[in-house]
Amino acid sequence: MEVVMPVFNDGITATARPEGTGIVTTDVLIVGSGPAGSSASLFLSNQGIPNIMITKYRWTAHTPRAHITNQRTMEVLRDAGIEGQVLAEATPHELMGDTVYCESLAGEEIGRRPTWGTRPDRRADYELASPSMPCDIPQTLLEPIMVKNAAMRGTQVQFSTEYLSHTQDADGVSVQVLNRLTGHEYTIRAKYLIGADGARSKVAADIELPMEGLMDIDGSMNITFKADLTHLVKHRPSILYWVFNPGSNIGGLGAGLIRMVRPWNEWLICWGFDINGEPPVLDNAEAIRIIRKLVGVADLDVEILGYSLWGNNEQWATHLQKGRVFCAGDAIHKHPPSHGLGSNTSIQDSYNLAWKLAAVIRGQAGPELLDTYSTERAPVAKQIVNRANQSSRDYKPIFDALGVTDAATDEEFTQKLQLRKENSPEGAARRAALRAALDAKDYEFNAQGTEIGQFYESTAVVTDGGERPARTEDELLHHQKSTFPGLRLPHAWLGNAKSKCSTHDIAKGTGFTIFTGITGQAWADAAVNVAARLGIELKAVVIGEGQEVQDLYGDWLRQREVEEDGVILVRPDKHIGWRAHSMVQDPKAALTAVLAEILSVGLEDCDLAEEAEAVLAPAGLGR
């Protein structure tokens, strides 16, 4: 469902207004226009919150970098109203994998594995889990879409503007910035500051975010180029072709990589180097040599677009904020591109933070709500850094099965690659080990649970005191379909005779939503009063026969885990905030108490005390 958002014509009025000489004011200042920064500005503008986004660069990303866009991120972009724009520019899901393993692109194939849910059994998992499917869109195309829509909806975007420093006080943050074109320094005064300025974030350094792990543990190089490789790949479409070639066991990614940027004539090669030695000298001639080596065509016609050296990292922040300053994206989780978790997690960081900032700025929530950003997202940062690095390490069993792990020379590496073909017991054992190692890469390339299975525990989630349901499937490969508070809202198709939409389409990112059944009408009636009392957006959806919204396939009935007269409260970021298994004595008091707890606002009314205690005490909450 494509959502049409309002366009703010008066950008200055909507986002920033001079206040005295050389001072600009806004509600939120965002440093960085990458996935975290551009999405934060988009989400805040969708919330109607004035914001300015600055970047020291003249434009958005100039290299493809991030590209795999997973289901959870596509859901977020769907909610932001830009899913259709993204899909129009993206390589569609059906072309994303078979992921191919080979000696070279033109050489012998070692094996392949359907990935990103393209195998029939996993495709069902993906389609049942979400209204959105993964796609592949280079960062060079995704960032401009987010920046454009943010600017159309109210964000003031300032390119060639560099963050210098900041000071914060009880009322806001004063940020010193530099116009890199004029050399003029000036101050932007904001209520809050978001540092989305990358893996070497100056904002994160200035607030001394605590970090664990190491930077620059392995060396990699990127080479972007154009070459028509249709004849080598169209029959086995994929976005990733992994090449086991002499030298591929050096560097952080585990093997050489030929990555499709645009089918089938724009590409990126990733190749390793020993970061502890002298860095390689890259020029056009060396880049062409590496490309032809991995493609396996000695006279390949190549147009070099660019090349760079970079380090693989394994570092994350254990706390994400200090006072009125927050960090998001690569500033708080630094890892190799394995698994495609970087931009996805960055966008999801901003999705978590934006609604909380909006609620506090509007006066709907207490400042304590902002503390839950770190509580909820810091564990995710650690998890994905560890997972991405483990995905790189999981190439070792493939090297072991091929027998090339300890190859001392390029010639020995090439010779040992042939061991897998031997007509011998050892050859059979290698082939079996190789297949097992390739299949184990599902933990990188079919890991739906890792991608959409985030679980939040914080004061912005109210449970009934029970335990999270036990898992019956591998939690990395399969996501948990449950309405247990803290988990993502399950997807189900709902509608009527005229239309169909997902639960994710009904629950909007600008406010709270409750779902109930026909016998739970009292919850919907109460929601009107509660919304007015707390000054929030609270949408009530009654699902059932004869209602505007019906359970078309019975999927909601099978997933809701509460009685028809129970209720499920969904936060603006589509995570379950609370649920009641059945009707309570005073639904108005219960909803008010729960939302007050989530939003960190006080309730002094004695008429709510009894119901609030009944709802909050089992979860160990209450004021």
Side-chain angles (χ1 to χ4, degrees), residues 253-585:
L253 289 179
L257 172 66
I258 302 176
R259 174 193 137 196
M260 183 276 295
V261 177
R262 305 299 285 169
W264 303 107
N265 61 1
E266 188 173 339
W267 303 87
L268 181 149
I269 272 182
C270 194
W271 190 240
F273 67 91
D274 184 356
I275 203 167
N276 298 310
E278 287 295 318
V281 176
L282 267 181
D283 54 23
N284 275 19
E286 176 63 7
I288 290 172
R289 185 191 72 79
I290 293 171
I291 292 167
R292 288 174 173 172
K293 171 184 171 72
L294 295 185
V295 173
V297 177
D299 58 350
L300 182 69
D301 186 19
V302 175
E303 176 188 351
I304 299 295
L305 300 179
Y307 34 78
S308 61
L309 303 180
W310 51 279
N312 286 289
N313 306 313
E314 189 169 8
Q315 190 179 77
W316 65 92
T318 57
H319 193 71
L320 314 183
Q321 60 199 93
K322 184 176 183 180
R324 291 175 171 267
V325 182
F326 305 81
C327 286
D330 287 354
I332 59 173
H333 37 78
K334 312 167 190 184
H335 53 86
S338 308
H339 206 125
L341 293 170
S343 63
N344 290 289
T345 308
S346 300
I347 291 169
Q348 292 160 32
D349 291 338
S350 296
Y351 195 56
N352 181 287
L353 179 59
W355 76 266
K356 296 173 181 178
L357 283 170
V360 172
I361 289 169
R362 292 193 196 107
Q364 299 167 334
E368 296 84 0
L369 175 63
L370 299 177
D371 296 337
T372 67
Y373 172 62
S374 277
T375 307
E376 294 181 350
R377 294 302 295 178
V380 175
K382 178 180 179 179
Q383 175 199 6
I384 66 106
V385 169
N386 289 335
R387 183 60 252 172
N389 279 278
Q390 185 59 46
S391 291
S392 293
R393 295 180 182 115
D394 285 345
Y395 281 92
K396 185 177 184 302
I398 303 177
F399 280 91
D400 290 345
L402 291 171
V404 298
T405 304
D406 300 321
T409 64
D410 289 357
E411 292 74 16
E412 185 181 0
F413 189 103
T414 301
Q415 290 170 2
K416 287 190 171 183
L417 276 176
Q418 310 310 309
L419 294 176
R420 72 186 192 278
K421 307 174 191 176
E422 284 187 355
N423 182 5
S424 67
E426 181 183 356
R430 288 192 181 280
R431 287 187 287 276
L434 177 61
R435 189 68 258 173
L438 294 180
D439 290 352
K441 293 304 290 179
D442 270 7
Y443 285 95
E444 179 176 0
F445 299 128
N446 277 308
Q448 189 187 37
T450 301
E451 295 169 358
I452 66 174
Q454 286 85 12
F455 173 58
Y456 295 155
E457 294 179 281
S458 75
T459 57
V461 175
V462 178
T463 72
D464 57 7
E467 295 293 326
R468 179 179 173 183
R471 298 301 307 269
T472 58
E473 299 175 302
D474 190 311
E475 65 181 357
L476 298 180
L477 297 181
H478 303 277
H479 91 290
Q480 186 174 16
K481 301 174 183 138
S482 175
T483 60
F484 187 78
L487 288 169
R488 162 189 161 275
L489 170 68
H491 155 67
W493 290 114
L494 305 173
N496 52 44
K498 296 181 179 179
S499 63
K500 183 175 79 169
C501 59
S502 170
T503 47
H504 281 247
D505 299 324
I506 293 173
K508 301 296 184 184
T510 52
F512 290 86
T513 307
I514 61 169
F515 290 92
T516 189
I518 294 173
T519 54
Q521 180 64 44
W523 291 110
D525 297 337
V528 177
N529 180 278
V530 174
R533 181 172 186 171
L534 296 178
I536 63 172
E537 180 183 334
L538 177 59
K539 179 180 180 180
V541 183
V542 178
I543 301 172
E545 283 72 9
Q547 302 294 314
E548 183 179 347
V549 178
Q550 298 174 30
D551 188 4
L552 297 175
Y553 303 97
D555 290 340
W556 180 245
L557 171 65
R558 287 184 284 270
Q559 296 184 88
R560 71 189 187 199
E561 299 178 326
V562 301
E563 299 298 327
E564 184 182 281
D565 64 349
V567 70
I568 294 165
L569 172 67
V570 183
R571 306 188 326 182
D573 60 359
K574 312 296 179 70
H575 278 254
I576 308 297
W578 174 69
R579 66 181 181 179
H581 288 272
S582 58
M583 182 59 66
V584 299
Q585 182 177 352

Side-chain angles (χ1 to χ4, degrees), residues 228-250:
D228 185 359
L229 303 180
T230 305
H231 62 294
L232 298 176
V233 298
K234 191 174 182 181
H235 60 287
R236 48 180 181 175
S238 179
I239 55 175
L240 301 174
Y241 298 84
W242 294 93
V243 181
F244 292 82
N245 203 285
S248 61
N249 54 342
I250 297 175

Side-chain angles (χ1 to χ4, degrees), residues 50-69:
N51 67 94
I52 299 173
M53 180 177 67
I54 67 170
T55 174
K56 65 183 180 181
Y57 302 109
R58 67 171 186 84
W59 184 229
T60 54
H62 66 284
T63 59
R65 285 179 277 183
H67 60 115
I68 297 162
T69 309

